[in-house]
Amino acid sequence: MAEVSANSFIPESFPGYTADIAGQFGLLWELIKAPLIVPLLRICVYICLAMSIMVFLERLYMGVVIVLVKLFWKKPDKRYKWEAMKDDLEMGNGAFPMVLVQIPMFNEREVYKISIGAACNLSWPADRLVIQVLDDSTDLVIKDMVEKECIRWASKGINIRYQIRETRGGYKAGALKEGLKRDYVKECEYVVIFDADFRPEPDFLRRAVPFLIHNPDIALVQARWRFVNADECMLTRMQEMSLDYHFTVEQEVGSATHAFFGFNGTGGIWRIAAINEAGGWKDRTTVEDMDLAVRAGLKGWKFLYLGDLQVKSELPSTFKAFRFQQHRWSCGPANLFRKMMMEIALNKKVTLYKKFYVIYSFFFVRKLIAHMFTFFFYCVILPLTILVPEVYVPKWGAIYLPCIITALNSVGTPRYIVEVLT
C-alpha cells in the first residue's frame, strides 16, 4: 500500500506526484476541477444569472409603474379625502384628535435634545398632544440628561412623559408596546413614532392626520426621510442613493398601486385601533416595524405614503454602525418571511394580486434575492470564474444587466447622475 509522508497528503505512487506542497495542491486542483468544480460553478453561474434577471425585471417593473404614477396618478390629497385642520371656535381644541408621539431612545447623547425639541415644537394643541420619551438607556448619566430635558419642556406647559423600564425586553418593540399600555394613552386615537435622530417639521401632524381622520380604512401614513449628513462621506452618499430609490420608487409604487408597503419604523403615524387589531408590537424578529405592517395589511388596512412630507434624519457615517444596520435590515425580513409566508398565502381578506405582490415582489425578490445575488455573484462567483476559465459568464450578465440595475437604482437621487455626467 502506498504511504503518505508527514509532508505530503498525496501517495508517492500517484501519477504526477511531487514532493513540493504547492505542486501537490496544483495536482489536486487539476484532479477535481474538471469533474467537480467546473460543473458546480456553472450551476452557480446559471442560478446567479436567473436571480439577476429577476432583480432586473423587478426594477424595470417598478420603473415603468413609477413613470405612470408620476404622469397619470392623482396626488394623495386627490385620491383620498383630505381637509386642512381648522380651529373651531365652538368646539375649541376638541376638533383636534388626541395624538401620541413616541420617541424610543437608547444612549442617545448627541441627538436627544434635537429630537425632543422637534416633537415639542409640533404645531398641535398642547392639550391634544402627548409626547412619550421611551428611554431604554443603560448609561445613567445619559438617562439623567434625557429626564432633565423632559422636565424642562414640561415646565413650559408641554404634556411630555418620561418612561423607563426595568429591563430592555423586546428592545424597541418592547418599549413601544409598553408605552401603549399607559392609562393616558387610552384617550389617543393616533400614534406617531420618531426615532431619536429624526426631526419632524412643525406642520407634520397637520399634514398627515387629516388623511387618517377622513379615511377610516387607512392605518398608516408614512413620510419620507431626508438626510442632513448625506454628503459627509462616500458611505453616506451610497446610502442616500439606495434609500432615495426605496422611498421615491418602492414606497411610492406600493402606496399608489397596492395600498401596501413596509412601515419604515419611524417618521410615520399609525391609527392605534389598527395596531391593536393586528396584534400589537411583536419582538419575534429584528424588523418589528415590517412585522406590524404585514399583519395590519393582512387585516385589510391600507397604507399611504406621502413623498412630499419629509422628516430630517441622519445616516450611519461609520462602517460599524452601517454594518449593524444592514445586518438587521437583511436578516430580519428573511426571518419574517419564513414565519409569515403561509399566513400570507392562506389569508382570505386580501386579493390574490396583493398576496403575489407581498410574497414575490416585496419579500422574495427585494428582501432575499437582491441581497443574495449581489453578494454571491460579485464577491464569490465572478472571482472564481477567473480561476476557472472553462466557466463562461456572458457579458449581458456580468456587465449590461448590473449597469442597468444600478442606473435604475439611481433614479431616486438624480443629482448624482448629473455629477457623474458632468
Side-chain angles (χ1 to χ4, degrees):
M1 180 179 293
E3 296 183 357
V4 179
S5 68
N7 297 324
S8 171
F9 53 84
I10 295 180
E12 296 181 2
S13 61
F14 198 88
Y17 170 81
T18 175
D20 180 50
I21 294 295
Q24 293 182 33
F25 273 110
L27 178 60
L28 182 62
W29 172 257
E30 292 299 326
L31 287 172
I32 66 174
K33 184 171 72 171
L36 179 62
I37 301 298
V38 172
L40 184 62
L41 192 56
R42 280 191 181 131
I43 293 174
C44 292
V45 168
Y46 295 148
I47 293 174
C48 286
L49 290 176
M51 290 194 293
S52 70
I53 293 174
M54 294 170 68
V55 174
F56 166 72
L57 292 177
E58 169 69 11
R59 294 293 188 271
L60 185 62
Y61 161 76
M62 300 293 278
V64 171
V65 174
I66 195 61
V67 170
L68 295 176
V69 168
K70 295 297 184 182
L71 291 177
F72 303 110
W73 259 249
K74 295 179 180 179
K75 298 293 183 181
D77 57 344
K78 303 298 182 183
R79 296 201 313 268
Y80 296 95
K81 188 177 180 181
W82 186 91
E83 293 180 8
M85 300 296 300
K86 298 179 181 178
D87 296 327
D88 192 314
L89 296 178
E90 295 183 1
M91 296 184 62
N93 292 337
F96 290 78
M98 286 288 294
V99 177
L100 172 69
V101 179
Q102 289 186 315
I103 310 175
M105 289 192 174
F106 178 69
N107 294 337
E108 306 289 352
R109 180 189 295 270
E110 292 82 10
V111 296
Y112 74 94
K113 280 189 177 182
I114 298 175
S115 59
I116 293 175
C120 292
N121 284 316
L122 287 169
S123 176
W124 203 257
D127 61 336
R128 310 300 292 172
L129 184 68
V130 182
I131 298 173
Q132 196 179 63
V133 178
L134 306 169
D135 190 9
D136 274 357
S137 299
T138 53
D139 188 316
L140 297 180
V141 174
I142 298 177
K143 262 190 172 182
D144 184 62
M145 294 164 62
V146 174
E147 184 176 12
K148 287 180 178 178
E149 183 68 10
C150 293
I151 294 173
R152 187 176 75 85
W153 280 102
S155 66
K156 296 181 179 182
I158 302 297
N159 188 3
I160 184 170
R161 308 295 182 95
Y162 177 74
Q163 307 288 349
I164 59 175
R165 299 186 294 162
E166 293 183 359
T167 64
R168 293 188 61 223
Y171 299 101
K172 180 181 176 181
L176 295 173
K177 183 177 182 179
E178 187 70 23
L180 290 177
K181 292 180 180 178
R182 304 291 177 174
D183 291 337
Y184 55 83
V185 174
K186 294 178 181 179
E187 301 177 4
C188 300
E189 297 180 52
Y190 311 113
V191 54
V192 57
I193 301 165
F194 296 118
D195 282 352
D197 58 336
F198 277 70
R199 312 159 198 177
E201 296 296 328
D203 64 348
F204 181 92
L205 293 178
R206 289 182 177 268
R207 296 176 63 185
V209 171
F211 284 104
L212 295 168
I213 294 175
H214 301 293
N215 303 275
D217 56 342
I218 293 180
L220 165 68
V221 176
Q222 173 70 55
R224 178 176 177 170
W225 300 357
R226 273 298 179 191
F227 312 106
V228 297
N229 66 331
D231 294 324
E232 183 174 337
C233 60
M234 182 61 71
L235 181 62
T236 55
R237 288 163 68 93
M238 292 171 60
Q239 293 177 76
E240 183 193 28
M241 182 179 293
S242 174
L243 289 170
D244 277 352
Y245 174 83
H246 167 68
F247 283 104
T248 305
V249 180
E250 293 178 344
Q251 298 292 73
E252 186 74 61
V253 169
S255 174
T257 61
H258 309 284
F260 173 83
F261 51 84
F263 174 45
N264 293 114
T266 177
I269 180 167
W270 277 91
R271 189 185 301 274
I272 294 180
I275 295 178
N276 294 333
E277 185 182 347
W281 292 100
K282 294 185 178 181
D283 59 356
R284 56 181 176 174
T285 69
T286 57
V287 284
E288 66 286 329
D289 43 16
M290 187 182 298
D291 188 348
L292 176 61
V294 173
R295 286 184 283 113
L298 294 180
K299 293 292 184 180
W301 289 99
K302 294 181 179 180
F303 305 154
L304 175 62
Y305 167 73
L306 298 178
D308 59 348
L309 180 61
Q310 302 178 359
V311 184
K312 295 178 181 178
S313 64
E314 294 185 9
L315 291 163
S317 57
T318 63
F319 183 74
K320 181 180 180 180
F322 173 72
R323 183 181 63 180
F324 177 79
Q325 181 195 71
Q326 292 302 306
H327 179 268
R328 173 180 174 271
W329 287 359
S330 300
C331 297
N335 189 24
L336 179 62
F337 184 48
R338 178 180 62 83
K339 293 176 179 289
M340 295 201 67
M341 183 175 65
M342 292 307 299
E343 183 179 347
I344 298 170
L346 299 176
N347 185 274
K348 297 181 180 180
K349 288 190 176 182
V350 297
T351 63
L352 183 63
Y353 177 61
K354 190 169 183 178
K355 289 181 187 178
F356 177 79
Y357 173 78
V358 175
I359 292 176
Y360 177 78
S361 180
F362 181 78
F363 272 116
F364 187 63
V365 176
R366 282 190 242 159
K367 310 302 182 185
L368 296 179
I369 295 299
H371 296 292
M372 293 171 58
F373 157 71
T374 302
F375 174 76
F376 284 107
F377 189 56
Y378 297 115
C379 300
V380 180
I381 303 302
L382 279 182
L384 284 177
T385 58
I386 298 175
L387 301 176
V388 186
E390 295 88 344
V391 178
Y392 172 72
V393 180
K395 288 184 179 179
W396 62 264
I399 301 174
Y400 302 141
L401 274 188
C403 288
I404 296 173
I405 292 172
T406 302
L408 291 173
N409 284 346
S410 65
V411 298
T413 317
R415 66 188 179 93
Y416 288 154
I417 302 176
V418 175
E419 290 178 9
V420 171
L421 294 178
T422 56

